[in-house]
Amino acid sequence: MNEHAQQPAASDPLFDPLAPDFIRDPYPHYERLRTLDPMHVTPFGSFLASRHAEVSLVMRDKRFGKDFVERSKRRYGPKIMEEPVFRSMSHWMLQSDPPDHTRLRGLVVKAFTARRVEDMRPRIQEIVDQTLDAVIDRGQMDLIEDFAFRLPVTIICDMLGIPEDHREVFYKGSRDGGRLLDPVPLSPEEIRQGNAGNLMAQMYFQQLFELRRRNPGEDLTTKLVQAEEDGHKLTNEELTANIILLFGAGHETTVNLIGNGLLALHRNPDQLALLKARPELITNAIEEFLRYDSSVQMTGRVTLEDIDDLGGKRIPKGETVLCLLGSANRDPAVYPDRPDRLDIARENVKPLSFGGGIHFCLGAQLARIEAEIAINTLLKRLPDLRIDDVENPEWRPTFVLRGLKRLPASW
């Protein structure tokens, strides 16, 4: 945030990620963690890595895995896998280890190759232009709902072969699934809500599978349905869970990347002016937006063996290590030149926002290109756009998925 951001009080807990103050601006809290306790043990017993060195090591080192089922049982008790939403998440490739992870990822990776994604540029441009055509005469819009949200939802619907006449419900869809990923345990009521949302998604996607069995297309759902019919490649539960994952991951984070990027630019008018004057800086600017205010703030791993020394702590086998991506991205050890400043021309920006190792984000290149085209087109077509309130925008109440609830703007 801005450099005169409010500093946390000395009495504040080091890590309280759902506190409103933390959600509004986590970065001063991260700075405190990196300085005072870079491998902090949280109140619920996880190890918290806040420096770049440990975060990047944990994501890439084979001694760390996901071990989702055991980790969830330790946290919630032996019956947790009877909850539909946890059972579904246990099949996500994001939460699985080899060999399951290798098999699941292998089935979808071809849809996200650099070549495939580059070929989508004209379609992405078309959606952004249509989105702006729809609002340009109104003189105002919510940059999240009316702009940032439409593009990635439309693209992931295209990729999954979701018919046009089914999409309205997805555009109106609630964006409250993010709480499932937060490091603070879920209440029974939140688990109930998660189950309900999961059930709705399962019901819809089961219908989509039937449709694609009858009318195969060129889309990802058709390919996965065919892999399921191949028997040992994919079970129905895995199919459903991973389509839900792809749908969520395919839009949530990109919405936030576009929203957080636009907010950062408007909070730094010199950078906004620079990007308008030199639109060719957009590719580097996207990397800087990812670094400066990542739409994914954290990822987790589990130790698969005893670790003798990670940032000065011994970590027994089976413990959870949470990696603070947003903190690593502002570590002065890697970004010595004022890491808290937005600088779209910064050199050697290599954000950890897409994760690392075998779980590196499949859609990283797609997200980058979507954000690039969305932001550049907006600046070109609405050069005098103003965000109504850059100082106190309304953040979503989730920590891992960092993004704005709404961002009203006018021109």
Side-chain angles (χ1 to χ4, degrees):
M1 200 181 136
N2 47 16
E3 280 143 57
H4 46 267
Q6 205 177 335
Q7 290 304 313
S11 58
D12 290 353
L14 275 177
F15 186 60
D16 185 7
L18 296 184
D21 176 55
F22 204 106
I23 298 240
R24 191 171 61 246
D25 183 14
Y27 299 102
H29 299 269
Y30 293 159
E31 188 183 348
R32 221 169 60 147
L33 275 163
R34 288 191 307 265
T35 312
L36 297 178
D37 194 5
M39 279 301 294
H40 177 63
V41 181
T42 69
F44 34 89
S46 305
F47 289 80
L48 190 65
S50 53
R51 291 188 302 209
H52 191 283
E54 287 83 15
V55 167
S56 53
L57 175 102
V58 169
M59 291 195 297
R60 292 176 178 85
D61 191 312
K62 291 199 169 41
R63 297 172 299 168
F64 298 86
K66 287 289 184 171
D67 201 15
F68 179 78
V69 174
E70 286 312 307
R71 178 176 44 143
S72 302
K73 285 179 179 170
R74 262 204 312 282
R75 199 151 157 202
Y76 292 100
K79 288 203 149 77
I80 191 65
M81 284 302 147
E82 292 169 19
E83 302 287 355
V85 70
F86 278 83
R87 207 166 52 239
S88 178
M89 283 161 68
S90 74
H91 294 296
W92 286 2
M93 66 185 89
L94 176 67
Q95 301 289 14
S96 55
D97 293 310
D100 285 339
H101 173 267
T102 319
R103 173 174 56 88
L104 293 168
R105 190 170 170 119
L107 291 172
V108 297
V109 67
K110 284 192 201 65
F112 292 94
T113 58
R115 177 77 187 277
R116 271 274 170 86
V117 171
E118 275 300 322
D119 289 346
M120 290 158 75
R121 273 184 189 269
R123 172 67 176 142
I124 294 170
Q125 185 67 60
E126 175 191 31
I127 298 163
V128 173
D129 282 324
Q130 285 170 352
T131 304
L132 288 173
D133 291 344
V135 295
I136 204 152
D137 294 336
R138 295 203 322 227
Q140 60 180 66
M141 67 168 152
D142 172 8
L143 283 170
I144 303 302
E145 192 181 338
D146 300 326
F147 181 68
F149 195 63
R150 300 288 297 197
L151 168 66
V153 172
T154 306
I155 289 289
I156 198 69
C157 285
D158 282 0
M159 293 181 79
L160 293 177
I162 293 174
E164 297 276 342
D165 53 345
H166 293 187
R167 293 184 184 184
E168 211 39 54
V169 59
F170 291 110
Y171 292 129
K172 299 269 176 287
S174 76
R175 300 178 57 216
D176 49 18
R179 177 69 185 91
L180 293 169
L181 302 174
D182 283 333
V184 175
L186 298 165
S187 68
E189 178 51 35
E190 287 173 320
I191 292 176
R192 268 200 298 280
Q193 285 170 1
N195 286 340
N198 184 259
L199 209 66
M200 294 281 288
Q202 287 201 36
M203 277 161 54
Y204 174 73
F205 286 115
Q206 296 290 344
Q207 290 172 352
L208 183 65
F209 301 153
E210 283 313 309
L211 178 69
R212 289 298 163 234
R213 286 188 185 105
R214 291 197 308 272
N215 311 326
E218 287 298 294
D219 53 85
L220 198 46
T221 303
T222 301
K223 293 213 170 39
L224 291 173
V225 165
Q226 289 163 352
E228 182 209 12
E229 286 162 358
D230 212 4
H232 53 263
K233 281 200 181 163
L234 197 62
T235 65
N236 189 277
E237 250 193 314
E238 287 176 327
L239 171 61
T240 313
N242 281 290
I243 291 272
I244 292 172
L245 169 67
L246 286 168
F247 183 79
H251 75 281
E252 275 287 359
T253 48
T254 310
V255 175
N256 293 347
L257 168 57
I258 295 169
N260 297 2
L262 288 169
L263 177 65
L265 280 175
H266 285 84
R267 281 179 162 179
N268 294 274
D270 61 318
Q271 298 298 298
L272 179 61
L274 178 60
L275 187 54
K276 283 178 180 170
R278 296 181 53 200
E280 71 279 3
L281 283 174
I282 188 68
T283 312
N284 197 70
I286 298 299
E287 298 308 296
E288 176 69 350
F289 299 148
L290 286 160
R291 183 198 72 80
Y292 180 76
D293 202 7
S294 176
S295 33
V296 181
Q297 288 285 312
M298 192 195 83
T299 184
R301 298 288 189 274
V302 171
T303 49
L304 303 177
E305 57 185 73
D306 292 346
I307 308 290
D308 287 334
D309 178 15
L310 182 67
K313 294 251 168 63
R314 188 184 168 279
I315 306 184
K317 178 183 172 177
E319 294 292 337
T320 298
V321 181
L322 303 174
C323 298
L324 291 175
L325 305 172
S327 175
N329 283 340
R330 293 202 187 191
D331 188 338
V334 179
Y335 299 102
D337 184 25
R338 294 169 69 195
D340 287 326
R341 183 169 134 252
L342 182 75
D343 175 5
I344 62 167
R346 189 185 294 274
E347 290 175 7
N348 299 321
V349 189
K350 294 194 174 61
L352 296 180
S353 312
F354 290 121
I358 63 169
H359 291 284
F360 184 80
C361 175
L362 264 176
Q365 201 43 30
L366 176 58
R368 287 183 176 116
I369 291 176
E370 287 180 342
E372 198 177 292
I373 293 174
I375 291 174
N376 255 4
T377 307
L378 183 72
L379 298 185
K380 191 166 79 212
R381 290 191 58 186
L382 292 173
D384 55 349
L385 176 122
R386 294 249 184 306
I387 291 175
D388 297 359
D389 183 1
V390 293
E391 277 310 308
N392 295 298
E394 195 179 341
W395 293 95
R396 294 171 63 194
T398 52
F399 160 65
V400 171
L401 296 182
R402 175 167 172 79
L404 295 149
K405 209 176 229 175
R406 52 184 69 87
L407 194 59
S410 49
W411 54 93

